[in-house]
Amino acid sequence: MSSDYNNPAFKKLLQRLQEESWQLELIISGFAIFGLFTAIEPINEAASLAQSKQQIVKFLILIITFVSCSILLFNLLLHVVLRGLWIGTLGLRYVSGDIDYDALNYSEKFTKYLKKKVGSFDKYVATLENYCSVIFAISFLLIFYVLALTFTILCITLIGKYIIDNDSLPETLRTIIGIILIVFLSFGMIFTFIDFITQGWLKKKKWTSKIYFPIYWVFSFITLSFLYRPLVYNFLDNKFGKRLSFILLPVYFIILMFSSFNYKASNYFREADYSSEITANRSNYLDLVSEDNGLIDEFAISSKVITQPYINVFMEFTDNIEDHIFSFNPDLKPEKDKRGLNTSLIIINQFSNSEIRKRRLDYMRTLNQIYSVRIDSVDYDSEFILSEDQKENLGFETFVKTKHLDEGKHILKILRKRIKKEDTVRYAVCKIPFWYFKE
C-alpha cells in the first residue's frame, strides 16, 4: 500500500499520521536534545584537541559536526518550547473555548483593534501548529545545507591538492584543468547561493535557466541535494514556509552576533593566549594542564616555578613535525603517506621490521637536529625521545639541567631549523617563561 502513493487508503493513512505527528515530534526532540547536550561538549573538546595537534581533516570534520549539532539543538529547543505552548493552548481552549471579546467589556476602539490584530483563538492555535511542524522539519534541512557548503569547499580543496599540485601530471595540463574546474565550482557556488536566497529566481527566467541548469545538475550531486530536494520545494511552494525560512536566517546571525560579545578589561590585553617574555599561558605548563584537564599548546614545560635541578620539556606530536622532518630528510618520506584517516581492516606494510627500526632511529636523529632548547641565551644539548604526557597524548620530551641557573625569571625557547631559500636558519617557535628557585 505504501508504494502506491496515489492509493486513497495511503492518502488517508498519511492524513492520520499528520494529525498525530506532534507526539512523534516531541519524542524525537526529547531524545535528540538529550543526546546533543551529552555529545556537544566532547565534540568541542575533541575539536580543540585536533586543532592543537594540527590534524586539519579531523578538526574540520569535528567543527562541521559541532556546528550541525548547535543548529539542531537550538531548533529543537525552540520546537519543544513552541510545542509546549501549543499543548497549553489546546488545554485552555478545552476549558474556556474561543476568545469572547464582548465579555471583556472593552471600549469599542480596543475591541475592534483586538479583533483585527489578535483574531480568533483557533487561528492562534493553528499558527502555533504550523510553526512547530515547519521548525521541526527545517531543523534537519539546515544540517544538509551545512553539509552542502562543506562538500563544495572540499571539492575545491581536493582539486587544488590532487590536480593543480599533482606533480605526476604535466604542469600545463594540470594548471589549465585545475583552474577551469575551480572557476566553474566557484561561480557555480555563487549562482547556487543566489538561486537559494532568491528562492529559485534563476530557474524562473528562460535565458538564465538554460545557463544555470548544468550548474544545478552538477551541484545536485556535490551538495547531495537529490536527497532532500522534495523537502526544499515543499517549503518553497508554501508562503508560510518561505516566511519562516527568511525569519530564521537573521535569527541565527543575531544569535551569533550576541554570542560574540564579551567584556574587555584592558586596551592592550584580553587573555594570555600564548606564552612570551611578558605572558604565560597555562597550556604551556604540564602541572596546570593536568589540574584543569586542559590541552597542551604544542609545547610545555613541567611548571612555572622550577625548584628541581632539571626541567621537563614536552613537545606534542603534530603532522607539521613530520612534514619538517621530511623536508630535512627526504629519504624518510614513504611512497604512500599513511597519515590521516585509515582503516584497521587493511594493513599494508611498506617496510620490514628491521627497516622500520632503522628509519625510526633516523627519524629521531633528524628530529634532534631540527629542534633544540635554549634558556635565555644559552643553548642546551637536548635529546628528545618519543614519549607520552599524563593524558597519553603522543609527543617528544627531554630534560634540561637547571642547577647552574641564577634564581629568578628565565625564558625557555624551543628553536627549530628552517630551510629559507638555500640557507638553514634557526628561530624560536615557542617562548615559555619560568622562575627558578633552589630548594
Side-chain angles (χ1 to χ4, degrees):
M1 183 186 296
S2 60
S3 60
D4 186 4
Y5 57 88
N6 289 317
N7 192 313
F10 181 66
K11 291 183 179 293
K12 188 177 179 180
L13 174 63
L14 285 180
Q15 183 65 33
R16 189 170 72 252
L17 289 174
Q18 286 174 202
E19 294 171 356
E20 299 174 358
S21 64
W22 66 271
Q23 302 173 33
L24 293 174
E25 288 177 14
L26 283 176
I27 292 172
I28 293 172
S29 294
F31 279 107
I33 289 170
F34 175 77
L36 290 169
F37 267 120
T38 305
I40 201 163
E41 188 61 32
I43 292 172
N44 191 27
E45 291 178 0
S48 300
L49 180 61
Q51 184 182 22
S52 68
K53 290 186 175 183
Q54 300 175 12
Q55 297 170 340
I56 305 301
V57 175
K58 185 178 179 181
F59 172 70
L60 289 177
I61 292 173
L62 289 169
I63 282 296
I64 293 165
T65 306
F66 179 79
V67 171
S68 302
C69 288
S70 300
I71 292 173
L72 194 57
L73 183 60
F74 170 79
N75 278 14
L76 292 180
L77 284 172
L78 181 61
H79 167 261
V80 168
V81 170
L82 291 179
R83 186 58 81 178
L85 180 61
W86 175 78
I87 293 172
T89 58
L90 289 178
L92 183 60
R93 186 185 183 282
Y94 174 77
V95 173
S96 118
D98 207 344
I99 302 173
D100 188 354
Y101 291 102
D102 295 330
L104 294 174
N105 199 26
Y106 290 159
S107 67
E108 185 179 353
K109 182 178 179 64
F110 268 97
T111 301
K112 287 182 178 180
Y113 178 81
L114 291 176
K115 283 183 177 180
K116 181 180 178 181
K117 293 295 182 181
V118 178
S120 168
F121 191 70
D122 288 351
K123 179 185 175 183
Y124 177 67
V125 174
T127 303
L128 279 178
E129 165 65 21
N130 290 337
Y131 272 109
C132 293
S133 298
V134 172
I135 287 175
F136 184 80
I138 207 172
S139 300
F140 299 95
L141 183 60
L142 288 170
I143 305 302
F144 282 110
Y145 287 158
V146 173
L147 292 175
L149 177 62
T150 304
F151 289 145
T152 305
I153 296 173
L154 181 62
C155 285
I156 295 174
T157 305
L158 291 175
I159 290 170
K161 182 176 181 181
Y162 291 103
I163 296 181
I164 295 178
D165 293 337
N166 191 347
D167 294 333
S168 61
L169 296 175
E171 185 176 357
T172 304
L173 179 65
R174 74 191 188 202
T175 302
I176 293 173
I177 294 176
I179 290 175
I180 290 174
L181 290 175
I182 287 178
V183 169
F184 174 78
L185 288 178
S186 300
F187 278 99
M189 183 169 59
I190 294 171
F191 285 135
T192 303
F193 181 73
I194 292 172
D195 188 65
F196 168 73
I197 291 295
T198 58
Q199 297 186 343
W201 183 83
L202 294 176
K203 301 187 190 79
K204 296 175 183 178
K205 303 295 181 179
K206 187 175 181 180
W207 65 276
T208 56
S209 63
K210 290 182 179 179
I211 299 173
Y212 180 60
F213 182 78
I215 297 172
Y216 173 82
W217 187 82
V218 172
F219 272 78
S220 67
F221 292 98
I222 294 176
T223 62
L224 303 180
S225 63
F226 59 89
L227 296 175
Y228 54 89
R229 193 177 291 149
L231 191 61
V232 175
Y233 291 134
N234 208 319
F235 272 113
L236 295 179
D237 71 355
N238 183 276
K239 290 183 179 180
F240 184 82
K242 281 185 179 181
R243 191 163 60 247
L244 187 60
S245 299
F246 276 117
I247 290 173
L248 281 176
L249 286 176
V251 167
Y252 291 136
F253 283 111
I254 290 170
I255 292 172
L256 180 64
M257 184 184 68
F258 276 106
S259 64
S260 66
F261 280 99
N262 55 70
Y263 181 77
K264 192 172 182 180
S266 170
N267 288 297
Y268 302 99
F269 301 104
R270 187 169 70 178
E271 60 181 9
D273 52 356
Y274 63 93
S275 294
S276 66
E277 292 89 345
I278 59 172
T279 57
N281 189 317
R282 62 188 302 112
S283 61
N284 291 121
Y285 303 96
L286 293 171
D287 57 343
L288 297 180
V289 169
S290 178
E291 287 176 8
D292 61 8
N293 200 30
L295 300 171
I296 292 174
D297 185 17
E298 196 169 354
F299 302 96
I301 62 175
S302 47
S303 178
K304 280 185 185 178
V305 179
I306 304 297
T307 57
Q308 296 172 318
Y310 60 86
I311 183 170
N312 180 209
V313 182
F314 186 83
M315 179 169 58
E316 191 177 31
F317 186 89
T318 65
D319 290 348
N320 282 349
I321 289 178
E322 196 145 297
D323 290 334
H324 300 324
I325 289 173
F326 289 162
S327 64
F328 274 86
N329 193 343
D331 293 336
L332 286 172
K333 188 173 183 178
E335 293 181 4
K336 181 175 177 57
D337 198 330
K338 295 189 293 184
R339 290 178 295 175
L341 296 176
N342 287 284
T343 175
S344 58
L345 299 177
I346 302 174
I347 301 175
I348 301 175
N349 292 323
Q350 300 182 47
F351 309 107
S352 63
N353 291 334
S354 59
E355 180 68 16
I356 289 175
R357 285 194 294 270
K358 180 179 179 299
R359 284 177 171 268
R360 283 175 177 172
L361 290 174
D362 291 340
Y363 189 106
M364 295 305 301
R365 192 178 299 112
T366 307
L367 175 82
N368 283 290
Q369 291 173 356
I370 297 173
Y371 291 92
S372 59
V373 177
R374 176 183 294 172
I375 298 179
D376 298 329
S377 59
V378 179
D379 292 327
Y380 289 80
D381 293 330
S382 52
E383 187 70 20
F384 283 99
I385 63 169
L386 187 70
S387 182
E388 294 179 342
D389 63 5
Q390 295 178 351
K391 298 179 182 178
E392 300 182 356
N393 293 317
L394 195 65
F396 306 95
E397 73 173 347
T398 188
F399 290 83
V400 178
K401 59 182 179 180
T402 57
K403 61 182 180 180
H404 64 285
L405 293 176
D406 296 330
E407 292 189 338
K409 178 187 172 186
H410 299 275
I411 303 295
L412 184 142
K413 301 176 184 177
I414 307 294
L415 303 179
R416 178 170 73 85
K417 286 183 180 180
R418 184 177 67 175
I419 300 174
K420 191 174 182 181
K421 294 183 180 179
E422 296 181 355
D423 298 327
T424 302
V425 297
R426 296 171 68 195
Y427 71 103
V429 292
C430 183
K431 298 178 182 179
I432 307 175
F434 70 94
W435 284 260
Y436 174 68
F437 297 101
K438 298 178 182 178
E439 290 183 334

